[in-house]
Amino acid sequence: MQETRLGQDIVHTGVPGLDELLGGGVPRGTTIILEGNPGTGKTTLGIQFLLEGARQYGESGIYITFEELPEQIYRDMSGFGWDLRELERQNKLRIICLEPDVLLDQMMRTDGLFEQLIREIDCKRVVIDSISLFRTLGGLQTDGREQIYSVRNIMRKFNLTAFFLREYGEWEGRSTPFENYVCDGIIRLSLREHMERFRKRTIEILKMRGTCIVEGEHHYRFLSDGICILPALSMVEDKIVSDGVARLSTGIQSLDDLLFGGLPQGSAFMLDSNSKANYKYLMTSIYAERIKEGDCVVFMLSGLSSVETLEQSLELFGASLREAALEERVFFIDHYHRQVAPEYEKSVIYVDRLSNGEYQKKVYEAINPYFRESVVEGRRWFIHYDLNTVLSERGREYVKRHFADEMARCRAAGVTVLCQSNFTEIGLETSSFLERASNGVIRTWVDGSYQYLQITKSPGGRMSAPHIVENIRDRPYVRLI
Ligand SMILES: Nc1ncnc2c1ncn2[C@@H]1O[C@H](COP(=O)(O)OP(=O)(O)OP(=O)(O)O)[C@@H](O)[C@H]1O
Ligand SMILES: [Mg+2]
């Protein structure tokens, strides 16, 4: 039984990693161009599509080659341990070598050789290696469009899922070839420079009708048993990881999706942003959620954010800081000794002009009694840690000596921490140490006219693709696209 997607009959390629990029597979009856330079693996991937079809899905296939003799293919593919002759004996595969015009002729005839062959083995998959030769038919003036169009129509007529192989670059510089329009998908294999001395093989899906694809270039490798594709950033969208830890919503649905539901309770996440990026909405949305959920929140104030500005921005997100203060579940660590409204007086821990030792002691003593009590009540704790402030007020050495330790203690106590930082300003050495000491990193930056956001580290070891941060009119005022 094939899976269906919105009522579609889906054909799984069976090539490791490829179906994941294709949202499960390709719709049955589609024609896909598989292009690449010589040696990129077109033949291998084409054969693998037929082989896996036969082995895993009980679907027979035909490989039509204009350029290589079957013998050559048997020999080349035996390198992967594939016994194609045996599949032919079982009527699961046919490898045929003929001239393009002969193929066309046989295809066009009712009950021609092609139709007979299809019936004979109940063929479902076809690979044509390659369509480039169609261009030589019909004289120099044509681009083979009539021929390619006819072949595509025949594939559709018999509901065959087909790969048309094509040399990449043969049409470079000219206008987009006709077949790009008439075929349903285009997959490109490339061999690129990589880290100066190396090369990397990448696969990219440029077009695929009726399928939700994973964008971008993905590595592929030749393994001893065929091609294996390694989807980049092992995407999160359609996978739900439930590791038993509660997830704290960020208040931004699209960000929660990237985080499998939110920040894992007890984790330490970095929010790394460059100075141009607007991270305020992201942060405020996260804290507003915590306050609305009834959690205890500790805010480390910076030179720019005071209790007052915090109150105002949280108000925008529908969270009342004042109420939370009256309920004794918010605390502020202030290095700048600013006056606050009377309701907040008990909540502020002033740490200006304190040595590092005194600072640690004061914060601990101020929070600890509440912490013990609230944990008994089942309250969750969330800490906003402003790394730039700690670095400038407590010094780099303090951060290096205590940060990992502080995070580990929070983790053990089930306290979730969000550290705001600017890795570029902090410098490579310290920032890579900070990155190591945290469970996850959310990076947001401005490039040109867009702000981007990407999860570059997460507890499960996954990254997300970079998303564009778009401002919207209503709460939570941002969304990721
Ligand atoms: N175990 C292996 N067996 C066979 N080929 C391998 C193996 N490992 C890597 N390769 C590489 O695979 C390439 C062959 O790939 P393939 O013939 O599928 O490419 P192609 O794109 O069809 O090339 P062409 O345009 O020349 O037809 C060879 O260049 C070879 O370097
Ligand atoms: Mg080839």
PDB file of all heavy atoms in Angstrom, residues 311-333:
ATOM      1  N   GLU A 311       7.978  46.726  32.255  1.00  0.00           N
ATOM      2  CA  GLU A 311       6.545  46.729  32.546  1.00  0.00           C
ATOM      3  C   GLU A 311       5.748  47.117  31.302  1.00  0.00           C
ATOM      4  O   GLU A 311       4.768  46.479  30.937  1.00  0.00           O
ATOM      5  CB  GLU A 311       6.245  47.706  33.685  1.00  0.00           C
ATOM      6  CG  GLU A 311       4.797  47.700  34.097  1.00  0.00           C
ATOM      7  CD  GLU A 311       4.487  48.761  35.154  1.00  0.00           C
ATOM      8  OE1 GLU A 311       4.278  49.933  34.772  1.00  0.00           O
ATOM      9  OE2 GLU A 311       4.485  48.407  36.340  1.00  0.00           O
ATOM     10  N   GLN A 312       6.236  48.175  30.639  1.00  0.00           N
ATOM     11  CA  GLN A 312       5.527  48.659  29.446  1.00  0.00           C
ATOM     12  C   GLN A 312       5.526  47.625  28.327  1.00  0.00           C
ATOM     13  O   GLN A 312       4.500  47.363  27.707  1.00  0.00           O
ATOM     14  CB  GLN A 312       6.184  49.945  28.931  1.00  0.00           C
ATOM     15  CG  GLN A 312       5.852  51.144  29.781  1.00  0.00           C
ATOM     16  CD  GLN A 312       6.822  52.292  29.546  1.00  0.00           C
ATOM     17  OE1 GLN A 312       7.724  52.204  28.710  1.00  0.00           O
ATOM     18  NE2 GLN A 312       6.636  53.368  30.302  1.00  0.00           N
ATOM     19  N   SER A 313       6.692  47.033  28.080  1.00  0.00           N
ATOM     20  CA  SER A 313       6.713  46.104  26.945  1.00  0.00           C
ATOM     21  C   SER A 313       5.924  44.831  27.255  1.00  0.00           C
ATOM     22  O   SER A 313       5.277  44.279  26.363  1.00  0.00           O
ATOM     23  CB  SER A 313       8.143  45.815  26.480  1.00  0.00           C
ATOM     24  OG  SER A 313       8.986  45.592  27.561  1.00  0.00           O
ATOM     25  N   LEU A 314       5.942  44.389  28.498  1.00  0.00           N
ATOM     26  CA  LEU A 314       5.157  43.195  28.836  1.00  0.00           C
ATOM     27  C   LEU A 314       3.661  43.470  28.731  1.00  0.00           C
ATOM     28  O   LEU A 314       2.880  42.591  28.364  1.00  0.00           O
ATOM     29  CB  LEU A 314       5.513  42.707  30.240  1.00  0.00           C
ATOM     30  CG  LEU A 314       6.858  41.985  30.340  1.00  0.00           C
ATOM     31  CD1 LEU A 314       7.310  41.866  31.789  1.00  0.00           C
ATOM     32  CD2 LEU A 314       6.769  40.595  29.707  1.00  0.00           C
ATOM     33  N   GLU A 315       3.298  44.699  29.056  1.00  0.00           N
ATOM     34  CA  GLU A 315       1.905  45.139  28.952  1.00  0.00           C
ATOM     35  C   GLU A 315       1.389  44.923  27.527  1.00  0.00           C
ATOM     36  O   GLU A 315       0.260  44.468  27.312  1.00  0.00           O
ATOM     37  CB  GLU A 315       1.847  46.640  29.299  1.00  0.00           C
ATOM     38  CG  GLU A 315       0.458  47.171  29.556  1.00  0.00           C
ATOM     39  CD  GLU A 315      -0.060  46.792  30.936  1.00  0.00           C
ATOM     40  OE1 GLU A 315       0.688  46.996  31.915  1.00  0.00           O
ATOM     41  OE2 GLU A 315      -1.191  46.277  31.007  1.00  0.00           O
ATOM     42  N   LEU A 316       2.244  45.244  26.558  1.00  0.00           N
ATOM     43  CA  LEU A 316       1.897  45.054  25.141  1.00  0.00           C
ATOM     44  C   LEU A 316       1.508  43.609  24.843  1.00  0.00           C
ATOM     45  O   LEU A 316       0.728  43.331  23.948  1.00  0.00           O
ATOM     46  CB  LEU A 316       3.106  45.378  24.269  1.00  0.00           C
ATOM     47  CG  LEU A 316       3.300  46.787  23.741  1.00  0.00           C
ATOM     48  CD1 LEU A 316       4.592  46.839  22.943  1.00  0.00           C
ATOM     49  CD2 LEU A 316       2.121  47.163  22.831  1.00  0.00           C
ATOM     50  N   PHE A 317       2.128  42.696  25.569  1.00  0.00           N
ATOM     51  CA  PHE A 317       1.871  41.268  25.344  1.00  0.00           C
ATOM     52  C   PHE A 317       0.815  40.725  26.306  1.00  0.00           C
ATOM     53  O   PHE A 317       0.639  39.520  26.430  1.00  0.00           O
ATOM     54  CB  PHE A 317       3.179  40.480  25.500  1.00  0.00           C
ATOM     55  CG  PHE A 317       4.090  40.626  24.310  1.00  0.00           C
ATOM     56  CD1 PHE A 317       4.883  41.749  24.167  1.00  0.00           C
ATOM     57  CD2 PHE A 317       4.134  39.650  23.328  1.00  0.00           C
ATOM     58  CE1 PHE A 317       5.703  41.893  23.070  1.00  0.00           C
ATOM     59  CE2 PHE A 317       4.951  39.786  22.227  1.00  0.00           C
ATOM     60  CZ  PHE A 317       5.748  40.914  22.086  1.00  0.00           C
ATOM     61  N   GLY A 318       0.186  41.643  27.028  1.00  0.00           N
ATOM     62  CA  GLY A 318      -0.912  41.233  27.899  1.00  0.00           C
ATOM     63  C   GLY A 318      -0.473  40.620  29.223  1.00  0.00           C
ATOM     64  O   GLY A 318      -1.242  39.896  29.851  1.00  0.00           O
ATOM     65  N   ALA A 319       0.759  40.887  29.645  1.00  0.00           N
ATOM     66  CA  ALA A 319       1.227  40.329  30.923  1.00  0.00           C
ATOM     67  C   ALA A 319       1.437  41.461  31.923  1.00  0.00           C
ATOM     68  O   ALA A 319       2.021  42.493  31.582  1.00  0.00           O
ATOM     69  CB  ALA A 319       2.527  39.563  30.713  1.00  0.00           C
ATOM     70  N   SER A 320       0.959  41.263  33.150  1.00  0.00           N
ATOM     71  CA  SER A 320       1.103  42.323  34.139  1.00  0.00           C
ATOM     72  C   SER A 320       2.261  42.033  35.089  1.00  0.00           C
ATOM     73  O   SER A 320       2.209  41.118  35.918  1.00  0.00           O
ATOM     74  CB  SER A 320      -0.204  42.465  34.936  1.00  0.00           C
ATOM     75  OG  SER A 320       0.035  43.294  36.057  1.00  0.00           O
ATOM     76  N   LEU A 321       3.297  42.829  34.943  1.00  0.00           N
ATOM     77  CA  LEU A 321       4.479  42.673  35.786  1.00  0.00           C
ATOM     78  C   LEU A 321       4.145  43.063  37.223  1.00  0.00           C
ATOM     79  O   LEU A 321       4.607  42.452  38.177  1.00  0.00           O
ATOM     80  CB  LEU A 321       5.605  43.565  35.237  1.00  0.00           C
ATOM     81  CG  LEU A 321       7.007  43.337  35.794  1.00  0.00           C
ATOM     82  CD1 LEU A 321       7.488  41.923  35.510  1.00  0.00           C
ATOM     83  CD2 LEU A 321       7.995  44.336  35.195  1.00  0.00           C
ATOM     84  N   ARG A 322       3.309  44.086  37.326  1.00  0.00           N
ATOM     85  CA  ARG A 322       2.915  44.600  38.638  1.00  0.00           C
ATOM     86  C   ARG A 322       2.216  43.515  39.476  1.00  0.00           C
ATOM     87  O   ARG A 322       2.562  43.287  40.633  1.00  0.00           O
ATOM     88  CB  ARG A 322       1.960  45.772  38.429  1.00  0.00           C
ATOM     89  CG  ARG A 322       2.140  46.924  39.371  1.00  0.00           C
ATOM     90  CD  ARG A 322       1.421  48.139  38.811  1.00  0.00           C
ATOM     91  NE  ARG A 322       2.374  48.990  38.107  1.00  0.00           N
ATOM     92  CZ  ARG A 322       2.818  50.145  38.623  1.00  0.00           C
ATOM     93  NH1 ARG A 322       2.398  50.574  39.784  1.00  0.00           N
ATOM     94  NH2 ARG A 322       3.687  50.865  37.954  1.00  0.00           N
ATOM     95  N   GLU A 323       1.282  42.852  38.863  1.00  0.00           N
ATOM     96  CA  GLU A 323       0.576  41.777  39.576  1.00  0.00           C
ATOM     97  C   GLU A 323       1.533  40.682  40.017  1.00  0.00           C
ATOM     98  O   GLU A 323       1.469  40.202  41.149  1.00  0.00           O
ATOM     99  CB  GLU A 323      -0.475  41.136  38.658  1.00  0.00           C
ATOM    100  CG  GLU A 323      -1.858  41.717  38.833  1.00  0.00           C
ATOM    101  CD  GLU A 323      -2.820  41.170  37.786  1.00  0.00           C
ATOM    102  OE1 GLU A 323      -2.724  39.963  37.463  1.00  0.00           O
ATOM    103  OE2 GLU A 323      -3.644  41.967  37.288  1.00  0.00           O
ATOM    104  N   ALA A 324       2.424  40.332  39.112  1.00  0.00           N
ATOM    105  CA  ALA A 324       3.389  39.269  39.429  1.00  0.00           C
ATOM    106  C   ALA A 324       4.273  39.704  40.594  1.00  0.00           C
ATOM    107  O   ALA A 324       4.626  38.890  41.455  1.00  0.00           O
ATOM    108  CB  ALA A 324       4.227  38.940  38.208  1.00  0.00           C
ATOM    109  N   ALA A 325       4.606  41.009  40.636  1.00  0.00           N
ATOM    110  CA  ALA A 325       5.443  41.511  41.733  1.00  0.00           C
ATOM    111  C   ALA A 325       4.679  41.433  43.054  1.00  0.00           C
ATOM    112  O   ALA A 325       5.227  41.038  44.081  1.00  0.00           O
ATOM    113  CB  ALA A 325       5.879  42.941  41.445  1.00  0.00           C
ATOM    114  N   LEU A 326       3.406  41.767  42.984  1.00  0.00           N
ATOM    115  CA  LEU A 326       2.601  41.704  44.208  1.00  0.00           C
ATOM    116  C   LEU A 326       2.459  40.258  44.700  1.00  0.00           C
ATOM    117  O   LEU A 326       2.340  40.009  45.890  1.00  0.00           O
ATOM    118  CB  LEU A 326       1.223  42.343  43.977  1.00  0.00           C
ATOM    119  CG  LEU A 326       1.265  43.873  43.783  1.00  0.00           C
ATOM    120  CD1 LEU A 326      -0.092  44.412  43.355  1.00  0.00           C
ATOM    121  CD2 LEU A 326       1.734  44.569  45.065  1.00  0.00           C
ATOM    122  N   GLU A 327       2.477  39.343  43.766  1.00  0.00           N
ATOM    123  CA  GLU A 327       2.412  37.918  44.136  1.00  0.00           C
ATOM    124  C   GLU A 327       3.783  37.356  44.516  1.00  0.00           C
ATOM    125  O   GLU A 327       3.939  36.147  44.682  1.00  0.00           O
ATOM    126  CB  GLU A 327       1.835  37.101  42.967  1.00  0.00           C
ATOM    127  CG  GLU A 327       0.357  37.340  42.729  1.00  0.00           C
ATOM    128  CD  GLU A 327      -0.119  36.770  41.373  1.00  0.00           C
ATOM    129  OE1 GLU A 327       0.577  35.900  40.804  1.00  0.00           O
ATOM    130  OE2 GLU A 327      -1.179  37.218  40.898  1.00  0.00           O
ATOM    131  N   GLU A 328       4.768  38.263  44.564  1.00  0.00           N
ATOM    132  CA  GLU A 328       6.145  37.903  44.946  1.00  0.00           C
ATOM    133  C   GLU A 328       6.724  36.806  44.062  1.00  0.00           C
ATOM    134  O   GLU A 328       7.353  35.861  44.540  1.00  0.00           O
ATOM    135  CB  GLU A 328       6.201  37.488  46.421  1.00  0.00           C
ATOM    136  CG  GLU A 328       5.775  38.611  47.338  1.00  0.00           C
ATOM    137  CD  GLU A 328       5.878  38.223  48.811  1.00  0.00           C
ATOM    138  OE1 GLU A 328       5.721  37.030  49.119  1.00  0.00           O
ATOM    139  OE2 GLU A 328       6.127  39.116  49.621  1.00  0.00           O
ATOM    140  N   ARG A 329       6.512  36.934  42.744  1.00  0.00           N
ATOM    141  CA  ARG A 329       7.105  35.941  41.852  1.00  0.00           C
ATOM    142  C   ARG A 329       7.933  36.550  40.719  1.00  0.00           C
ATOM    143  O   ARG A 329       8.209  35.894  39.733  1.00  0.00           O
ATOM    144  CB  ARG A 329       6.062  34.960  41.330  1.00  0.00           C
ATOM    145  CG  ARG A 329       4.903  35.566  40.620  1.00  0.00           C
ATOM    146  CD  ARG A 329       3.892  34.505  40.216  1.00  0.00           C
ATOM    147  NE  ARG A 329       2.780  35.103  39.521  1.00  0.00           N
ATOM    148  CZ  ARG A 329       2.731  35.244  38.195  1.00  0.00           C
ATOM    149  NH1 ARG A 329       3.697  34.805  37.450  1.00  0.00           N
ATOM    150  NH2 ARG A 329       1.683  35.814  37.639  1.00  0.00           N
ATOM    151  N   VAL A 330       8.305  37.822  40.881  1.00  0.00           N
ATOM    152  CA  VAL A 330       9.322  38.375  39.966  1.00  0.00           C
ATOM    153  C   VAL A 330      10.426  39.044  40.782  1.00  0.00           C
ATOM    154  O   VAL A 330      10.176  39.586  41.861  1.00  0.00           O
ATOM    155  CB  VAL A 330       8.783  39.412  38.947  1.00  0.00           C
ATOM    156  CG1 VAL A 330       7.901  38.763  37.913  1.00  0.00           C
ATOM    157  CG2 VAL A 330       8.093  40.561  39.626  1.00  0.00           C
ATOM    158  N   PHE A 331      11.629  38.942  40.255  1.00  0.00           N
ATOM    159  CA  PHE A 331      12.789  39.558  40.904  1.00  0.00           C
ATOM    160  C   PHE A 331      13.600  40.277  39.840  1.00  0.00           C
ATOM    161  O   PHE A 331      13.615  39.863  38.682  1.00  0.00           O
ATOM    162  CB  PHE A 331      13.658  38.485  41.576  1.00  0.00           C
ATOM    163  CG  PHE A 331      12.926  37.756  42.653  1.00  0.00           C
ATOM    164  CD1 PHE A 331      12.188  36.611  42.351  1.00  0.00           C
ATOM    165  CD2 PHE A 331      12.930  38.225  43.954  1.00  0.00           C
ATOM    166  CE1 PHE A 331      11.473  35.955  43.331  1.00  0.00           C
ATOM    167  CE2 PHE A 331      12.218  37.573  44.941  1.00  0.00           C
ATOM    168  CZ  PHE A 331      11.488  36.442  44.632  1.00  0.00           C
ATOM    169  N   PHE A 332      14.237  41.348  40.264  1.00  0.00           N
ATOM    170  CA  PHE A 332      15.066  42.104  39.323  1.00  0.00           C
ATOM    171  C   PHE A 332      16.468  42.233  39.897  1.00  0.00           C
ATOM    172  O   PHE A 332      16.620  42.578  41.072  1.00  0.00           O
ATOM    173  CB  PHE A 332      14.500  43.510  39.105  1.00  0.00           C
ATOM    174  CG  PHE A 332      13.045  43.503  38.724  1.00  0.00           C
ATOM    175  CD1 PHE A 332      12.057  43.679  39.694  1.00  0.00           C
ATOM    176  CD2 PHE A 332      12.665  43.301  37.412  1.00  0.00           C
ATOM    177  CE1 PHE A 332      10.716  43.654  39.355  1.00  0.00           C
ATOM    178  CE2 PHE A 332      11.309  43.268  37.059  1.00  0.00           C
ATOM    179  CZ  PHE A 332      10.331  43.453  38.031  1.00  0.00           C
ATOM    180  N   ILE A 333      17.460  41.947  39.095  1.00  0.00           N
ATOM    181  CA  ILE A 333      18.838  42.153  39.536  1.00  0.00           C
ATOM    182  C   ILE A 333      19.308  43.440  38.853  1.00  0.00           C
ATOM    183  O   ILE A 333      19.345  43.500  37.615  1.00  0.00           O
ATOM    184  CB  ILE A 333      19.732  40.961  39.133  1.00  0.00           C
ATOM    185  CG1 ILE A 333      19.195  39.685  39.788  1.00  0.00           C
ATOM    186  CG2 ILE A 333      21.184  41.209  39.521  1.00  0.00           C
ATOM    187  CD1 ILE A 333      19.871  38.400  39.334  1.00  0.00           C
TER     188      ILE A 333
END
